[in-house]
Amino acid sequence: MFNRLSYFETVTKSQCQMKINYNSSIIKALSLSVLIPGNLAMCTRDHAGNSQPPNILFCIADDASFHHFGMAGCQWVETPVFDRMASEGVFFNNCYTSNAKSAPSRASILTGRYSWQLKEGGNHITNFPSEFKVFTEALSDNDYMVSYTGKGWAPGNPGMVDGQPRLLTGKHYNKNRTTAPTASMSTEDYVANFIEFLDKDGSGGKPWFFWFGSREPHRAYEYGSGITLGGKSTDMIDEVPPFWPDTEEVRTDMLDYAFEIEYFDTQIGKMLDELEKRGMLDNTIIVVTSDNGMPFPRAKANNYEYSHHMPLAVMWKDGIYKPGRKINDLVNFVDLAPTFLDAAAIERERSGMHSSPGKSLLNIFKSRKVGKVDPERSYTLLGRERDDIGRPDNQGYPIRAIISGDFLYINNLKSHLMPAGNPETGYLDIDGSPTKTIILDMMRDGVDSSYYTLSMGLRPAEELYNLREDSFCVENLAGEEQYAATQKELRELLYSQLREQEDPRVVGGGDIFDRYPYSDPLFWNFYEKVMDGSIKEPWILTPWV
């Protein structure tokens, strides 16, 4: 990990302190810094001359893919606030979550580690491992006020500290309520809760971190809300992904999803307005992203573009040197914790956190380059363990994958298992939806089984996709002679990294992920309970099936 020194040290000699960093690229950089007898330091302000640590507003949607934000070119989802942030900050074209499911994705954000480095924290509906300190705790230890509204790390059990639930994302501001646009959307008044936080904890002179965890666009949706409330029509959608049937029901489902993304975007706009009114906008790092891909078949809880490719825009008026840039570097959620620590001038060695394979993004913020900035960001890793419930012996569907250049290489480690969960339990790795129901009905009625095969059918051990030519990931190139060298190269690079990171699936004992308990004991041996009749009609747990 590159532990770059912060913008936020004042320049006076009396305040410069020795900082030691053994990373070779940093040692080279130190030759350009201020030299003081007995001390070696790089002491700089941000480019606006601000010597105060920045505030951080972290905004995360629940189940939204990269492809459905205005800056990504989507014509049927309107995200003017996200687009403004990208134009006044930086927009990342190639940001990926390390795991396309809520709890493990958020665990990677909080710890800066891949999900296979987090023991039970790499699973969904789990117990957060107490040994892993998170960046929000490190910020709190260093005089930051830390709070959140909406969804923090979830679902699961965060554990206990001194007899109280562990505050993985800080103090919860949740008492303010509103009338949501639909009955299926959260009634949490995110903006009012943020304002209350600013009034109570964010205006005392200390820096702060606030996590806005939207519950949108997570399912369930009010069917037709995108049309009746969002003013949309199904002909606005220029293309339905080829892994779903192009029907009015599927298009309506997509518009309902769009309506909830737009609601998320609106909340961020109101928060920015509040910061601007208080004079706090310029020295606040505002990050907008999502935890994983859209809650549709072959998207969320898979390992494809629609699963892992995340929106990411960062606005920081005092700290981003050349706003409006589009960045093509491969970045991963494991980079976020190092970025926040770096911005707060907290060295990892004194943060109390485990080591991270991630790299701070501050060098990109400080650069004036567009496109590719950091040549070392040439690949990124993805994976999956146990996402939900419903396979024999509490098994997940383990995957390891890598993106480099134009290619995505996937290794399905137990390809004999059903990737979306077993049919007896309702394919519970896929959220219930009209789209899921239509795919199943078409298969059951003998109309078309191709969509079922793509979303629920068995998969080969290896998959290879050219993302430039096939962003939908439907043309598997693995095994084709002309791509054999690429497949071999990516496989070797992936496994060299996994060995270095001591992934249990590679170094031994990988089935431990299937033996970690669920945080809710109801789910243990769920498949067996269905098969012996203890649980009847398990698909009721997920509507629409």
Side-chain angles (χ1 to χ4, degrees), residues 55-57 194-195 198 208 268-282 284-286 315:
N55 305 311
I56 303 169
L57 173 60
F194 178 55
I195 291 172
L198 291 177
W208 51 260
I268 300 168
K270 294 177 181 178
M271 292 180 181
L272 298 190
D273 289 344
E274 186 64 27
L275 291 175
E276 196 157 26
K277 183 176 74 175
R278 293 171 183 251
M280 303 174 79
L281 183 63
D282 290 359
T284 299
I285 302 173
I286 302 142
M315 186 170 78

Side-chain angles (χ1 to χ4, degrees), residues 243-244 296-305 307-308 384 387 391 397-399 410-421 427 429-430 439 450-465 472-474 476 478:
F243 41 81
W244 308 326
F296 283 69
R298 204 177 165 89
K300 174 183 176 181
N302 283 269
N303 251 86
Y304 304 116
E305 268 287 287
S307 316
H308 282 260
R384 174 184 175 188
D387 281 345
R391 290 188 190 85
Y397 190 81
I399 299 174
I410 300 171
N411 191 182
N412 298 310
L413 301 177
K414 292 191 175 184
S415 58
H416 62 283
L417 297 176
M418 302 294 285
Y427 306 101
D429 275 6
I430 303 175
I439 289 172
S450 63
Y451 302 109
Y452 171 88
T453 299
L454 286 167
S455 291
M456 295 124 177
L458 292 173
R459 293 174 182 163
E462 294 184 284
E463 301 175 68
L464 181 69
Y465 300 98
F472 293 120
C473 301
V474 293
N476 185 11

Side-chain angles (χ1 to χ4, degrees), residues 407-410 462-466 470 475-480 483-484 486-487 490:
F407 289 92
L408 164 63
Y409 168 78
I410 300 171
E462 294 184 284
E463 301 175 68
L464 181 69
Y465 300 98
N466 185 327
D470 176 26
E475 297 293 334
N476 185 11
L477 305 175
E480 293 192 15
Y483 297 103
T486 298
Q487 185 176 342
L490 291 179

Side-chain angles (χ1 to χ4, degrees), residues 30-41:
L30 284 170
S31 65
L32 301 176
S33 67
V34 178
L35 294 178
I36 302 172
N39 292 286
L40 186 63

Side-chain angles (χ1 to χ4, degrees), residues 166-227:
R166 187 177 175 189
L167 301 177
L168 293 173
T169 48
K171 179 181 176 181
H172 196 188
Y173 276 83
N174 192 40
K175 75 174 186 179
N176 295 291
R177 294 281 157 172
T178 189
T179 301
T182 76
S184 63
M185 296 171 71
S186 174
T187 60
E188 291 159 295
D189 192 331
Y190 305 124
V191 177
N193 290 327
F194 178 55
I195 291 172
E196 183 184 1
F197 160 76
L198 291 177
D199 289 341
K200 291 184 176 179
D201 295 332
S203 57
K206 291 185 177 182
W208 51 260
F209 174 94
F210 192 84
W211 174 300
F212 162 38
S214 174
R215 299 190 187 273
E216 292 76 33
H218 196 288
R219 293 191 184 273
Y221 304 148
E222 182 176 297
Y223 186 71
S225 56
I227 296 172

Side-chain angles (χ1 to χ4, degrees), residues 157-383:
N157 171 25
M160 304 291 283
V161 175
D162 298 328
Q164 299 294 323
R166 187 177 175 189
L167 301 177
L168 293 173
T169 48
K171 179 181 176 181
H172 196 188
Y173 276 83
N174 192 40
K175 75 174 186 179
N176 295 291
R177 294 281 157 172
T178 189
T179 301
T182 76
S184 63
M185 296 171 71
S186 174
T187 60
E188 291 159 295
D189 192 331
Y190 305 124
V191 177
N193 290 327
F194 178 55
I195 291 172
E196 183 184 1
F197 160 76
L198 291 177
D199 289 341
K200 291 184 176 179
D201 295 332
S203 57
K206 291 185 177 182
W208 51 260
F209 174 94
F210 192 84
W211 174 300
F212 162 38
S214 174
R215 299 190 187 273
E216 292 76 33
H218 196 288
R219 293 191 184 273
Y221 304 148
E222 182 176 297
Y223 186 71
S225 56
I227 296 172
T228 59
L229 299 178
K232 299 181 181 296
S233 61
T234 55
D235 60 3
M236 294 174 63
I237 298 174
D238 55 335
E239 184 177 26
V240 174
F243 41 81
W244 308 326
D246 188 350
T247 69
E248 282 297 299
E249 293 86 355
V250 170
R251 285 173 173 261
T252 298
D253 201 16
M254 294 170 69
L255 293 180
D256 296 344
Y257 158 78
F259 177 67
E260 297 208 3
I261 291 178
E262 293 175 357
Y263 182 77
F264 166 65
D265 189 73
T266 299
Q267 307 310 301
I268 300 168
K270 294 177 181 178
M271 292 180 181
L272 298 190
D273 289 344
E274 186 64 27
L275 291 175
E276 196 157 26
K277 183 176 74 175
R278 293 171 183 251
M280 303 174 79
L281 183 63
D282 290 359
N283 195 35
T284 299
I285 302 173
I286 302 142
V287 179
V288 179
T289 189
S290 175
D291 57 354
N292 49 251
M294 64 192 304
F296 283 69
R298 204 177 165 89
K300 174 183 176 181
N302 283 269
N303 251 86
Y304 304 116
E305 268 287 287
Y306 272 56
S307 316
H308 282 260
H309 197 170
M310 295 292 98
L312 180 62
V314 182
M315 186 170 78
W316 180 18
K317 291 183 176 293
D318 280 354
I320 290 175
Y321 278 22
K322 184 182 177 183
R325 289 178 292 137
K326 293 184 178 181
I327 306 299
N328 293 333
D329 295 51
L330 284 165
V331 302
N332 193 291
F333 277 1
V334 299
D335 298 326
L336 294 178
T339 300
F340 295 142
L341 292 181
D342 198 1
I346 302 170
E347 295 176 343
R348 180 166 289 277
E349 290 75 12
R350 67 182 178 88
S351 72
M353 295 178 65
H354 281 67
S355 63
S356 168
K359 296 171 57 178
S360 170
L361 299 174
L362 257 65
N363 68 322
I364 293 177
F365 297 167
K366 293 188 289 184
S367 173
R368 296 182 181 274
K369 294 181 180 179
V370 298
K372 289 288 292 183
V373 175
D374 184 348
E376 294 184 0
R377 295 183 180 274
S378 60
Y379 63 88
T380 195
L381 307 186
L382 321 172

